[in-house]
């Protein structure tokens, strides 16, 4: 069974009331329910953590190395400067997808840079709450493909 950690960073607990003109009206609970339904439909296991602190996010990433196959993360503002979160993702070597609700590239200049993106398989941004659903499809598709390669080539596939 595929096991995935969904991590939400700071201020995402306020979705629905936080700057709705930027982030929309969907609450975090609604996003979690949608992703949980997707996971259930695929027979995957999902665990969800929201933390407003850098340490809380790092602890969750480190703990995931004991059980998770994949990681989907919206690091919030930490995206733009947390080298510690970047290092944690690199350290655990769990395939990660970065998601953002807003199109960070169409916003303030400081949001154009992600220090997290280089340690992720890929990033999705700008599709509102749907970014999470797209991120889920991307991550589970990637994991399935990797699993098939291992089955086909006995783990000898390098690409
Ligand atoms: C965000 C974008 C970040 O720049 C911002 O700090 C957030 C939310 C997004 O999902 O669009 O908190 O990650």
């Amino acid at each position: 069974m595929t096991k995935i950690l969904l991590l939400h960073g700071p201020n995402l607990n306020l979705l629905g009331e936080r700057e709705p003109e930027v982030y929309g009206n969907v609450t975090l609970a609604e996003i979690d329910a949608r992703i949980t339904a997707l996971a259930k439909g695929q027979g995957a296991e999902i665990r969800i953590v929201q933390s407003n602190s850098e340490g809380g996010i790092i602890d969750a990433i480190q703990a995931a190395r004991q059980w998770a196959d994949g990681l989907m993360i919206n690091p919030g503002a930490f995206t733009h400067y947390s080298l510690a979160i970047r290092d944690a993702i690199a350290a655990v070597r769990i395939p990660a997808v970065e998601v953002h609700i807003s199109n960070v590239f169409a916003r303030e200049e400081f949001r154009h840079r992600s220090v997290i993106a280089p340690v992720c398989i890929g990033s999705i941004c700008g599709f509102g709450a749907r970014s999470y659903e797209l991120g889920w499809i991307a991550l589970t598709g990637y994991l399935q493909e990797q699993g098939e390669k291992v089955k086909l080539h006995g783990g000898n596939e390098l690409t």
Side-chain angles (χ1 to χ4, degrees):
M1 182 193 271
T2 305
K3 299 187 182 96
I4 289 170
L5 172 64
L6 170 56
L7 254 178
H8 305 289
N11 300 309
L12 294 165
N13 53 313
L14 298 183
L15 284 179
E17 62 178 89
R18 173 192 183 198
E19 298 178 86
E21 65 287 358
V22 177
Y23 298 112
N25 298 305
V26 181
T27 65
L28 194 63
E30 284 163 350
I31 289 173
D32 289 346
R34 284 186 199 176
I35 300 302
T36 302
L38 278 176
K40 215 173 165 187
Q42 284 173 232
E45 182 184 325
I46 182 159
R47 297 188 203 172
I48 302 172
V49 174
Q50 190 276 326
S51 176
N52 288 324
S53 77
E54 198 176 23
I57 294 170
I58 293 165
D59 286 343
I61 293 169
Q62 289 190 7
R65 77 187 192 283
Q66 319 285 2
W67 63 272
D69 303 307
L71 168 67
M72 176 154 72
I73 180 168
N74 182 347
F78 286 136
T79 303
H80 315 299
Y81 66 93
S82 178
L83 299 178
I85 292 175
R86 172 197 169 120
D87 282 355
I89 295 171
V92 299
R93 294 173 181 274
I94 298 170
V97 168
E98 177 191 22
V99 299
H100 298 286
I101 295 163
S102 64
N103 179 356
V104 286
F105 301 105
R107 301 181 64 196
E108 302 95 324
E109 185 127 14
F110 72 86
R111 295 186 206 274
H112 297 181
R113 175 167 178 247
S114 168
V115 298
I116 308 297
V119 293
C120 292
I121 315 161
S123 307
I124 289 168
C125 77
F127 295 95
R130 196 165 298 237
S131 289
Y132 285 92
E133 290 161 58
L134 296 169
W136 176 268
I137 292 165
L139 180 57
T140 54
Y142 174 88
L143 293 173
Q144 194 183 338
E145 214 171 87
Q146 293 305 306
E148 277 159 17
K149 274 187 196 166
V150 171
K151 262 187 240 152
L152 268 175
H153 305 285
N156 292 326
E157 181 77 7
L158 293 176
T159 55

